[in-house]
Amino acid sequence: MLRRNCLLLFLCFLFEQSSCAPFQSRPGQEWPHSQTGPLAAGRNGGSRGFQRVKRGWVWNQFFVLEEYMGSDPQYVGKLHTDLDNGESGVKYTLSGDGAGTIFTIDQITGDIHALRSLDREEKPYYTLRAQAVDIETNRPLEPESEFVIKVQDINDNEPKFLEGPYTASVPEMSPVGTYVMKVTATDADDPTYGNSARVVYSILHGQPYFSVDAKTGVIRTALPNMDREMKELYQVLIQAKDMGGQLGGLAGTTTINITLSDVNDNPPRFSKSIFHLRVPESSAVGSAVGRIKAHDLDIGKNAEVEYNIVPGDGGAMFDITTNEHNQEGIIMLKKPLDYETKKAYTFKVEASNAHLDPRFHNFGPFKDTATVKINILDVDEPPVFSKPSYAMDVYEDTPQGTIIGAVTAQDLDAGNSPVRYSIDWKSDLDSFFDIDPVRGTISTNELLDRESIAQHNISVVATKVSKYDNPVLTSRVAVTVHVLDINEFPPELAMPYETFVCESAKVGQVIQVISARDQDLPQAGQTFSFKSPQEGVKTKNFTIRDFGNNTAGVVTLRGGFKRRSQEIYHLPVVIEDGGLQTLSSTGTLTIRVCGCDTDGSLLTCSAEAIFLPVGLSTGALIAILVLIVVLYVGVRRQKKKETLMTSKEDIRDNVIHYDDEGGGEEDTHAFDMGTLRNPKVIKENMFRRDVKPELGLCPRRPVASQNSADISNFISLRLQEHDGDTSAPPYDSLATYAYEGEGSVAESLSSIESVKGETEEDYDYLNEWGPRFKTLAGIFGERSEIPRGTCIDLYLL
């Protein structure tokens, strides 16, 4: 650099230039010439005024080499103006970035030096300002000019991988050239100057498995069929070198950890071809009896294995499932085992992958098969009954000791030990049955009654007799004994029938349908037959007709029945059942002669009804009876009630109990307490409700509301009358009111309003109302006196 500056100075000298830029980045470019100040003019012409003088600043930018390691300050360049004629009349000044600290200028010669080493990566350029002034007066000879000192780059920074070390993954068995990842190195040097920042990538470690693109840094696979099961992790060392990879360039490295991800390229394989298992015959259904495993070199879901039992001999007894945690095949017992029936089972198990990759089908079938042999171990077992349960039938009243059935149990073990039988006493508390301990025959111990207990449920215990001191082994079986019914109860009528025949009944008319019942079992399917006691002999009144469906009908043999002649007839009925030993009974039907309407509806069966008027219907008779009951109850209610004080003694000797919980003696607002203490203070003109009024007045008939709907006014009116009633007692009382409306057009038939005094009512007018009221007129005509004060309301029925 120094030699180049010297060469420039030498050229300037040859061309006798007044001033020149000692260091130019673009030769031939000149800055605009400015005008000089008064100093130049004064020195040339002696005049003190300003004069336009040509100036020759010729520079664009200065360069300084970074990382200068010399002992002397580094020469940067020289400033010179046309006004400087070498007589030391011009002084140069420098200001701006680093002026005085980093850069210094010789005020007389204009030489610029760098005082310390500079780093382009820290600051690439510096902007400064230069000016020529008069050395004596410090007056500017020309305007201030700005220039740049650029730090010239050298290759002092190596490429760096800012994000390393790196991790990447690529599927195993990938073809050559499969993309893995891209790495990028950064060089802090100036990319616009030389090759200091031109980076080239290369692979130092990791061949021949991977390669890297020298320009882009893209890493790809370089070897086909890399198998994860052989090697899973690869460590690749990548180098980035500047200067285009030339000798002398700086380099940086990074590490890339590349993992081969798994693919399903390996089938499951059993470690051996035959698995031997031993299982006790007492193993419970659903329990695990053994485990087998097929190993898969893959991992994750690619190593998931499904197990299946190949159909064949022994496979129906077992099932197999997969343990999701360790991919083992768990063999489960599907049906009960019996050593005495079969001592060994052999079947094949197939293991296959659950997730297949179609790219590797050409590798062969992704499954394996192994044989499983299971030997059954003999276990000392309790006896086994020939049936899971027993059912026996016995007729009731069977003689004691009759054998009704037998149970059989057998020891299926190789020893074939004898078996003894017994009945669990808890299931037969009354000891109805007995069992032979050796043969297992069950017999009756008591007479059985179906009507008491129709079914017995007993438990029979079979005990294995062991020759050794082995634990006692027992088994149980349920025995149901059904007590069968014998025909011991004769049939009877299903219910007590109330049969009637109309006086107008015709010959051959069915007046009643009857059925029968039997206490013997089963009730379903029972058959009954009905007949008269003397079959074939016709009676003159009624007969029995069997319908053949367990029912029969009572049929009239004549007509013209009259209650006056005979009111009740008795008809015997013979009923037979359909049992093995036929039983029969005779029932009697009571038939009443009744009066009926023309449509056959019952009117009355009473004999007194014959003497009633012919035109009086049953409904009218019922209404009259109801009316009589109502009248009787009303008369009873209006009898003289006993007053609170019936004694003829002094009133002061009587205690009247009102159950009133007032406010005490100080409470004088509710009523006068003196009245309770001294009954003499009661006014003579006040009425009391605890004694019967002297006048036999009937309750006041409610007055019809003028508005015909204003019930509220009616209640308010009665409430006011009650509040103003002086005859009310000094304790709370309940008053009820009945509102009957405005009445009817026919008016009331009540005799209340007509009773004004002690005059007696004449009921002879009831005889004038027709035959329907003769009975009522007779009732009132027989009474010598109607009690005074009795209120009677009659309503037409």
Side-chain angles (χ1 to χ4, degrees):
M1 191 69 179
L2 183 59
R3 285 182 294 178
R4 184 169 60 176
N5 292 340
C6 295
L7 179 60
L8 291 175
L9 291 176
F10 177 72
L11 291 176
C12 291
F13 176 78
L14 291 179
F15 287 99
E16 296 180 353
Q17 297 292 333
S18 62
S19 67
C20 68
F23 192 85
Q24 301 181 38
S25 62
R26 295 181 182 179
Q29 289 187 356
E30 294 183 356
W31 283 52
H33 297 282
S34 60
Q35 304 300 323
T36 60
L39 179 60
R43 287 182 177 274
N44 293 327
S47 174
R48 306 299 296 179
F50 286 95
Q51 206 174 19
R52 296 180 61 89
V53 185
K54 184 178 180 181
R55 187 201 59 173
W57 294 105
V58 184
W59 64 57
N60 185 1
Q61 58 185 357
F62 291 105
F63 291 92
V64 60
L65 192 65
E66 71 168 336
E67 302 296 343
Y68 176 72
M69 303 302 294
S71 58
D72 297 329
Q74 182 182 184
Y75 179 76
V76 177
K78 183 181 183 64
L79 296 180
H80 189 76
T81 179
D82 293 341
L83 300 179
D84 186 2
N85 52 11
E87 296 180 357
S88 302
V90 178
K91 181 175 68 174
Y92 298 95
T93 63
L94 188 66
S95 62
D97 292 341
T101 56
I102 300 176
F103 302 100
T104 182
I105 189 171
D106 191 320
Q107 296 182 356
I108 302 300
T109 62
D111 293 331
I112 301 174
H113 290 83
L115 299 178
R116 63 180 178 85
S117 175
L118 301 179
D119 187 1
R120 188 201 68 84
E121 287 72 34
E122 180 180 347
K123 189 176 181 64
Y125 62 89
Y126 297 85
T127 302
L128 296 98
R129 294 179 299 277
Q131 191 174 30
V133 298
D134 188 274
I135 195 173
E136 295 179 357
T137 63
N138 284 332
R139 293 185 61 183
L141 299 180
E142 57 185 37
E144 190 177 51
S145 296
E146 185 177 274
F147 66 97
V148 175
I149 299 178
K150 187 175 182 181
V151 180
Q152 188 175 4
D153 182 50
I154 64 173
N155 190 17
D156 59 340
N157 291 280
E158 72 279 3
K160 294 181 180 180
F161 294 92
L162 302 180
E163 299 178 1
Y166 300 88
T167 58
S169 177
V170 63
E172 64 173 334
M173 310 302 291
S174 297
V176 176
T178 301
Y179 177 86
V180 179
M181 71 173 301
K182 179 181 179 179
V183 295
T184 302
T186 302
D187 196 321
D189 293 327
D190 189 0
T192 63
Y193 180 77
N195 294 326
S196 298
R198 182 168 168 245
V199 178
V200 174
Y201 300 94
S202 60
I203 184 168
L204 300 181
H205 179 72
Q207 293 176 336
Y209 306 104
F210 301 94
S211 64
V212 63
D213 189 283
K215 295 182 178 180
T216 62
V218 174
I219 301 173
R220 301 179 183 273
T221 59
L223 191 66
N225 299 329
M226 287 188 291
D227 192 0
R228 185 198 65 83
E229 289 72 32
M230 299 298 295
K231 185 176 182 181
E232 182 178 4
L233 181 62
Y234 294 84
Q235 194 172 66
V236 179
L237 184 63
I238 300 295
Q239 174 185 268
K241 189 174 184 181
D242 58 12
M243 299 298 293
Q246 297 178 4
L247 186 63
L250 302 179
T253 59
T254 187
T255 301
I256 304 174
N257 296 313
I258 301 177
T259 303
L260 295 183
S261 59
D262 184 62
V263 297
N264 192 7
D265 58 339
N266 293 282
R269 291 286 182 263
F270 285 106
S271 58
K272 52 187 177 180
S273 59
I274 299 178
F275 292 87
H276 293 274
L277 302 175
R278 294 190 298 175
V279 180
E281 63 173 336
S282 60
S283 299
V285 174
S287 61
V289 299
R291 297 171 182 266
I292 61 175
K293 185 175 183 179
H295 298 272
D296 195 322
L297 298 178
D298 297 322
I299 59 175
K301 68 176 184 177
N302 296 321
E304 293 179 1
V305 181
E306 292 181 349
Y307 297 92
N308 294 286
I309 295 178
V310 179
D313 180 35
M317 296 291 296
F318 303 92
D319 196 3
I320 189 168
T321 59
T322 303
N323 188 332
E324 297 180 356
H325 300 288
N326 54 15
Q327 300 302 312
E328 285 184 343
I330 304 175
I331 300 176
M332 314 288 292
L333 184 59
K334 193 175 181 181
K335 297 180 181 180
L337 299 174
D338 186 10
Y339 173 81
E340 289 71 26
T341 303
K342 193 170 184 178
K343 298 178 175 58
Y345 294 89
T346 302
F347 54 89
K348 292 185 177 181
V349 176
E350 182 180 85
S352 60
N353 279 137
H355 307 281
L356 298 178
D357 194 332
R359 296 178 298 173
F360 306 105
H361 283 175
N362 56 348
F363 284 19
F366 277 74
K367 60 183 179 180
D368 195 14
T369 304
T371 301
V372 178
K373 296 188 68 176
I374 298 180
N375 295 320
I376 308 303
L377 302 179
D378 187 23
V379 177
D380 197 9
E381 297 176 304
V384 178
F385 284 94
S386 59
K387 296 180 181 179
S389 62
Y390 293 85
M392 302 177 184
D393 297 332
V394 59
Y395 284 100
E396 60 180 340
D397 295 333
T398 298
Q400 181 180 358
T402 302
I403 296 176
I404 62 176
V407 296
T408 303
Q410 183 180 0
D411 180 18
L412 300 180
D413 292 332
N416 194 15
S417 301
V419 177
R420 297 294 179 262
Y421 303 95
S422 62
I423 295 178
D424 187 356
W425 65 272
K426 295 181 181 179
S427 64
D428 188 20
L429 297 175
D430 295 327
S431 300
F432 286 106
F433 304 96
D434 195 4
I435 188 170
D436 188 287
V438 178
R439 295 181 299 174
T441 56
I442 300 175
S443 59
T444 59
N445 199 31
E446 297 287 345
L447 292 179
L448 305 178
D449 184 12
R450 185 203 61 79
E451 285 69 33
S452 299
I453 302 177
Q455 177 178 303
H456 296 266
N457 298 310
I458 61 176
S459 178
V460 176
V461 180
T463 303
K464 181 178 178 179
V465 179
S466 178
K467 298 179 181 179
Y468 308 99
D469 295 334
N470 294 334
V472 177
L473 298 177
T474 61
S475 59
R476 295 172 179 267
V477 69
V479 179
T480 303
V481 180
H482 299 281
V483 181
L484 303 181
D485 185 38
I486 62 175
N487 196 9
E488 58 179 339
F489 295 99
E492 59 185 6
L493 290 174
M495 65 179 69
Y497 292 97
E498 296 181 359
T499 308
F500 71 92
V501 61
C502 296
E503 292 180 327
S504 58
K506 298 179 181 180
V507 178
Q509 181 177 347
V510 178
I511 63 173
Q512 180 71 56
V513 177
I514 61 175
S515 61
R517 63 180 179 181
D518 196 335
Q519 296 183 14
D520 294 321
L521 290 179
Q523 295 182 356
Q526 291 179 345
T527 59
F528 303 102
S529 60
F530 304 85
K531 63 181 179 178
S532 299
Q534 297 178 357
E535 189 69 16
V537 179
K538 296 184 179 179
T539 60
K540 61 179 180 178
N541 295 318
F542 307 96
T543 187
I544 299 298
R545 181 185 299 172
D546 194 343
F547 294 148
N549 58 356
N550 289 345
T551 61
V554 180
V555 183
T556 59
L557 295 179
R558 67 177 181 87
F561 293 94
K562 299 296 182 180
R563 284 180 286 175
R564 296 180 180 181
S565 301
Q566 185 174 349
E567 181 183 1
I568 297 176
Y569 293 87
H570 296 283
L571 177 64
V573 180
V574 178
I575 309 172
E576 294 182 352
D577 58 16
L580 297 177
Q581 299 177 357
T582 302
L583 296 179
S584 64
S585 65
T586 301
T588 302
L589 292 175
T590 300
I591 304 174
R592 301 177 64 88
V593 181
C594 300
C596 303
D597 286 344
T598 56
D599 58 352
S601 299
L602 177 65
L603 292 179
T604 179
C605 293
S606 175
E608 292 78 3
I610 303 173
F611 304 100
L612 292 177
V614 179
L616 198 60
S617 63
T618 304
L621 292 175
I622 296 175
I624 292 173
L625 293 176
V626 173
L627 182 60
I628 291 173
V629 174
V630 173
L631 290 175
Y632 177 74
V633 173
V635 171
R636 294 281 297 176
R637 289 184 177 179
Q638 293 300 327
K639 286 185 177 180
K640 182 179 179 181
K641 296 182 179 179
E642 192 173 327
T643 60
L644 295 175
M645 295 177 293
T646 58
S647 177
K648 296 181 181 180
E649 298 176 358
D650 195 330
I651 191 173
R652 291 174 296 180
D653 295 336
N654 293 277
V655 178
I656 303 174
H657 186 204
Y658 294 103
D659 281 336
D660 188 280
E661 297 182 2
E665 295 183 357
E666 297 179 359
D667 185 6
T668 59
H669 297 284
F671 51 83
D672 188 4
M673 295 296 297
T675 303
L676 298 179
R677 298 191 184 98
N678 189 4
K680 290 184 177 182
V681 301
I682 302 177
K683 298 180 180 180
E684 297 179 358
N685 58 347
M686 295 181 61
F687 295 94
R688 294 178 53 188
R689 291 190 176 183
D690 53 355
V691 296
K692 183 178 179 181
E694 296 179 0
L695 297 178
L697 299 179
C698 293
R700 181 183 304 170
R701 180 182 178 182
V703 179
S705 176
Q706 298 297 330
N707 298 331
S708 70
D710 192 3
I711 301 177
S712 177
N713 293 337
F714 166 77
I715 297 177
S716 300
L717 180 61
R718 294 295 175 267
L719 183 61
Q720 293 176 3
E721 292 179 358
H722 181 74
D723 293 341
D725 189 359
T726 59
S727 63
Y731 48 80
D732 293 339
S733 60
L734 176 65
T736 60
Y737 310 103
Y739 179 59
E740 297 182 358
E742 295 182 354
S744 63
V745 179
E747 298 184 352
S748 175
L749 298 177
S750 175
S751 60
I752 296 176
E753 296 180 352
S754 62
V755 181
K756 300 299 183 180
E758 297 182 0
T759 60
E760 295 183 0
E761 182 69 24
D762 185 9
Y763 295 100
D764 292 339
Y765 59 86
L766 294 177
N767 296 320
E768 301 175 358
W769 286 5
R772 293 178 180 269
F773 293 90
K774 287 184 178 181
T775 304
L776 185 61
I779 294 175
F780 280 88
E782 294 177 358
R783 297 181 179 273
S784 61
E785 180 182 358
I786 299 297
R788 185 176 56 192
T790 302
C791 300
I792 304 174
D793 281 339
L794 301 180
Y795 298 92
L796 290 177
L797 301 176

